[in-house]
Amino acid sequence: MQTTSILFLLRKNKIRGLNNQIRSIQFRADMTNLLQETVQYACNHCITLLVGLLIVLFYRFCVAPFTVFKKLGISGPTPLPFFGNSIQNRLNPNIIPKCQMEWSDKYGKIFGVYVFRQPFLVIADLDMIKEIFVKEFPKFHDRKKLMKDLKKPYDRMLTIVSGQKWKDIRSTLTPTFSAAKMKQMMPFMNEAISILMQKVDRISKTGEIVDFHRWLQSLTMEVILSTAFGVKAETQTVENDPITELAKKAMAPHPLVGLLFLLPFGEHIMNSLQDPFDFEKILAISADIIAERTAGKDSTNAPRKDLLQLMLDAKEETGGEKIDYDDIKAQCLTFLLAGYDTSSTTLAFLCYELALHTDVQDKLRDEIDRMWPEDEESPSYDSLHNMQYLEMVINEAVRKYPPGFILQRDCMEACTIKGLHIPKGLPVMIPCYAIHHDPEIWPKPEKFNPERFSEAEKAKRHPYAFMPFGFGPHKCVGMRFALLEVKLTLVRLLKKYKLEKTEKTAVPMKFEVMFVLTCAPETVMLKITPRD
């Protein structure tokens, strides 16, 4: 009986095993048939499936990114697939300031635009701008990074770095630009300006017409190398000086950047390219400057307290916690580029307008004669500071031609300003050029009129109607340096010479949009003659 039961159980298990094998075989057969049918269906409908996939990809990359402002109920120019609102600007970047004005006129003080697939909330409402820059600054602390994975040390540049690292670098650099430090830099500025004056004296006797903007670029490069890094350069006396030429190339727009932003993984491709802007060559110059300074730190001569030395001292004092060599190299690169370009551009716009408006030039020269005694070889820091009409002329130039024609901040935390909800991650763009040319704020904005900046006129305006250097904690750290350089150059020039327009001077002004607003080549074609 027991043997019979055991045999029965063995037979039952065998039958169950056979059934499982049959089911397994049947399952595999079913799966094979399903796979064959799927492959057959795909072959028969490959075009339909391909079209469907393309539709999904098209929506993901060409439609969905451009629905942000529609969902928020914010108007703006209609974006195009891939390009957003950038196709005109990509074909001709020089129309960006004009687009700002046209869109502001059409859509008001608040509207949305797309820089390729990246949405930007454009705000020209001055009260809202004040809240963003000051009251709500913790929520708009950083700028939007269009490229998230920058290589070192480029990710440490003051204009890009964010968070606590930005605070550390900013607090290290700020003491360099105190009034006391500016006074110490004046002799080095004067040395470079004296070379310019020698060149000007030569052409004043021959009547030669020159592209004065190019001369000013060489001047400001020499000034920044000398005052910030203690390097004696010859950028003004060497034709097509290689350092200045590298800086020009680095600051120029690159068509490859725009094309790569069209691609979903464009920024990763960008990072894999070998130095498309020649930044590495400029960085190598910065590294050489740092190496030369650190190699001589054991010298008995006290090092000059310039920008570079302050950064090196901060590194030693904190053991590299606040600022390290990568940070120092990044700031050297930043100041080599920004320090030469914005100052030379501002000076070029000033000389251009003064050549066109001889009445303004004469009035400014009268003030220079009153404030700068004949027995002084160079104007003092205090004399420059007290030249009120000079300040007005410079302000009108950077009002009409703001080098930083756009400001932007990233919304780090959702907030509501004047009833407008701004979601986290939506960057804000401030159209400085459009604000500086708003006829409701500045009557006849295309006219060069320094009287706009008299004390009486300034009192009538919103303080945030004029922001050539930004506002709040992110305000340009080198503003005082740039203004001193511009004032000293202009005052020394007008003390002895007259700026005159010629048949080659471009009227109206032709500017170019690079990383900043600058003059087009062969635009500021001037003749300089001895004053009467």
Side-chain angles (χ1 to χ4, degrees):
M1 184 71 178
Q2 191 174 11
T3 302
T4 303
S5 298
I6 291 171
L7 291 172
F8 176 76
L9 289 173
L10 289 173
R11 192 179 296 113
K12 184 177 180 181
N13 288 336
K14 185 175 182 181
I15 293 171
R16 184 181 296 132
L18 288 171
N19 288 336
N20 288 339
Q21 289 179 5
I22 292 170
R23 281 196 293 270
S24 177
I25 293 169
Q26 185 64 43
F27 176 77
R28 286 196 295 271
D30 292 343
M31 290 302 297
T32 301
N33 290 335
L34 179 62
L35 182 61
Q36 289 175 343
E37 290 175 4
T38 300
V39 171
Q40 186 63 44
Y41 181 87
C43 291
N44 294 338
H45 300 83
C46 61
I47 296 177
T48 303
L49 292 172
L50 181 60
V51 170
L53 177 62
L54 290 175
I55 290 173
V56 171
L57 292 175
F58 182 83
Y59 180 83
R60 169 67 180 82
F61 293 108
C62 302
V63 178
F66 305 119
T67 60
V68 173
F69 295 117
K70 186 176 182 180
K71 293 175 183 177
L72 293 172
I74 296 171
S75 63
T78 302
L80 295 176
F82 289 111
F83 290 97
N85 302 114
S86 299
I87 187 166
Q88 286 179 300
N89 302 342
R90 194 47 31 201
L91 296 174
N92 181 12
N94 301 334
I95 69 170
I96 294 176
K98 301 299 182 184
C99 285
Q100 281 188 24
M101 296 170 61
E102 291 173 5
W103 290 338
S104 295
D105 288 342
K106 186 173 182 178
Y107 301 106
K109 304 295 184 184
I110 301 168
F111 57 94
V113 298
Y114 295 88
V115 179
F116 299 105
R117 290 190 300 274
Q118 176 62 58
F120 278 89
L121 177 63
V122 182
I123 296 180
D125 182 286
L126 302 182
D127 291 325
M128 292 183 69
I129 293 172
K130 181 179 179 180
E131 285 209 36
I132 289 169
F133 280 165
V134 182
K135 184 179 177 181
E136 298 289 354
F137 175 75
K139 297 175 183 176
F140 295 89
H141 183 278
D142 300 327
R143 297 179 177 91
K144 184 69 176 180
K145 293 182 179 179
L146 297 180
M147 292 181 64
K148 298 177 183 177
D149 300 316
L150 281 172
K151 303 174 186 175
K152 284 186 179 182
Y154 305 118
D155 60 342
R156 306 288 186 88
M157 295 171 72
L158 186 62
T159 52
I160 295 173
V161 72
S162 59
Q164 184 60 44
K165 176 55 73 173
W166 173 83
K167 292 181 181 179
D168 291 341
I169 295 173
R170 176 82 185 205
S171 63
T172 301
L173 296 176
T174 298
T176 313
F177 300 101
S178 66
K181 289 291 190 302
M182 292 300 99
K183 291 179 181 179
Q184 294 175 18
M185 291 183 183
M186 282 188 68
F188 306 108
M189 289 185 180
N190 269 318
E191 187 176 347
I193 295 170
S194 292
I195 297 174
L196 174 70
M197 296 293 283
Q198 292 171 13
K199 294 169 66 178
V200 168
D201 187 64
R202 177 179 56 80
I203 65 167
S204 73
K205 296 172 182 175
T206 63
E208 182 182 349
I209 299 171
V210 297
D211 184 350
F212 206 50
H213 182 213
R214 289 197 62 179
W215 282 25
L216 294 168
Q217 286 177 316
S218 299
L219 165 70
T220 54
M221 177 59 79
E222 189 164 314
V223 168
I224 194 67
L225 286 170
S226 175
T227 56
F229 308 111
V231 174
K232 177 61 178 174
E234 296 181 346
T235 60
Q236 296 189 81
T237 54
V238 176
E239 188 70 22
N240 296 323
D241 165 66
I243 300 179
T244 307
E245 292 303 313
L246 280 174
K248 286 180 188 177
K249 182 177 179 181
M251 295 297 287
H254 202 294
L256 182 63
V257 175
L259 292 174
L260 288 177
F261 272 120
L262 297 177
L263 303 175
F265 307 104
E267 68 176 79
H268 300 293
I269 300 173
M270 189 72 188
N271 279 328
S272 67
L273 295 177
Q274 287 296 318
D275 194 25
F277 303 107
D278 278 343
F279 274 13
E280 292 288 344
K281 294 178 182 176
I282 304 177
L283 197 65
I285 295 171
S286 302
D288 289 343
I289 293 171
I290 295 169
E292 185 175 343
R293 180 67 63 89
T294 53
K297 67 180 180 179
D298 296 327
S299 171
T300 55
N301 296 326
R304 190 168 73 177
K305 291 295 182 181
D306 52 21
L307 170 68
L308 176 57
Q309 193 59 48
L310 280 172
M311 291 192 290
L312 291 171
D313 289 347
K315 176 189 174 298
E316 294 299 322
E317 291 166 5
T318 64
E321 291 183 6
K322 286 184 66 174
I323 186 168
D324 58 25
Y325 276 126
D326 280 333
D327 300 327
I328 294 172
K329 285 191 290 186
Q331 302 339 301
C332 287
L333 177 62
T334 301
F335 279 90
L336 277 173
L337 296 177
Y340 114 92
D341 197 53
T342 52
S343 296
S344 63
T345 296
T346 300
L347 274 167
F349 285 134
L350 272 163
C351 292
Y352 173 86
E353 291 291 349
L354 290 173
L356 266 59
H357 300 87
T358 55
D359 56 330
V360 174
Q361 185 179 164
D362 290 341
K363 185 175 179 178
L364 178 54
R365 189 177 289 106
D366 289 342
E367 181 182 65
I368 293 169
D369 288 341
R370 289 195 313 272
M371 302 296 292
W372 177 9
E374 292 287 346
D375 59 343
E376 292 183 6
E377 184 178 350
S378 173
S380 67
Y381 181 89
D382 293 333
S383 294
L384 293 173
H385 183 71
N386 292 327
M387 291 185 187
Q388 296 181 358
Y389 193 64
L390 173 64
E391 189 87 15
M392 293 163 63
V393 170
I394 293 172
N395 283 343
E396 176 64 352
V398 293
R399 193 276 309 171
K400 191 174 179 182
Y401 310 104
F405 60 96
I406 289 174
L407 302 174
Q408 59 104 335
R409 298 288 183 269
D410 198 8
C411 184
M412 315 297 291
E413 180 183 339
C415 63
T416 301
I417 299 176
K418 287 188 69 175
L420 176 68
H421 175 71
I422 305 176
K424 179 181 178 180
L426 179 62
V428 169
M429 181 184 293
I430 312 300
C432 296
Y433 189 93
I435 293 170
H436 283 194
H437 289 77
D438 186 343
E440 294 181 5
I441 304 172
W442 313 92
K444 298 181 179 179
E446 297 307 316
K447 181 181 178 182
F448 184 78
N449 179 19
E451 300 301 328
R452 302 180 198 274
F453 289 91
S454 66
E455 291 301 321
E457 289 298 315
K458 285 194 295 184
K460 299 176 184 178
R461 286 192 300 269
H462 194 292
Y464 281 72
F466 179 63
M467 51 184 122
F469 299 102
F471 264 108
H474 267 292
K475 190 173 184 177
C476 176
V477 69
M479 177 188 70
R480 187 175 279 162
F481 176 93
L483 287 176
L484 176 60
E485 182 180 11
V486 168
K487 287 179 179 181
L488 188 58
T489 303
L490 199 60
V491 166
R492 288 193 58 185
L493 191 62
L494 294 181
K495 183 74 170 178
K496 294 185 65 176
Y497 304 101
K498 291 191 299 183
L499 303 168
E500 297 181 5
K501 74 173 183 177
T502 70
E503 66 277 5
K504 294 184 178 180
T505 306
V507 180
M509 164 61 73
K510 296 177 182 178
F511 54 71
E512 286 188 340
V513 172
M514 297 188 180
F515 286 105
V516 296
L517 193 70
T518 187
C519 310
E522 299 184 350
T523 296
V524 188
M525 302 295 294
L526 302 181
K527 184 169 71 172
I528 303 176
T529 59
R531 62 175 293 185
D532 298 333

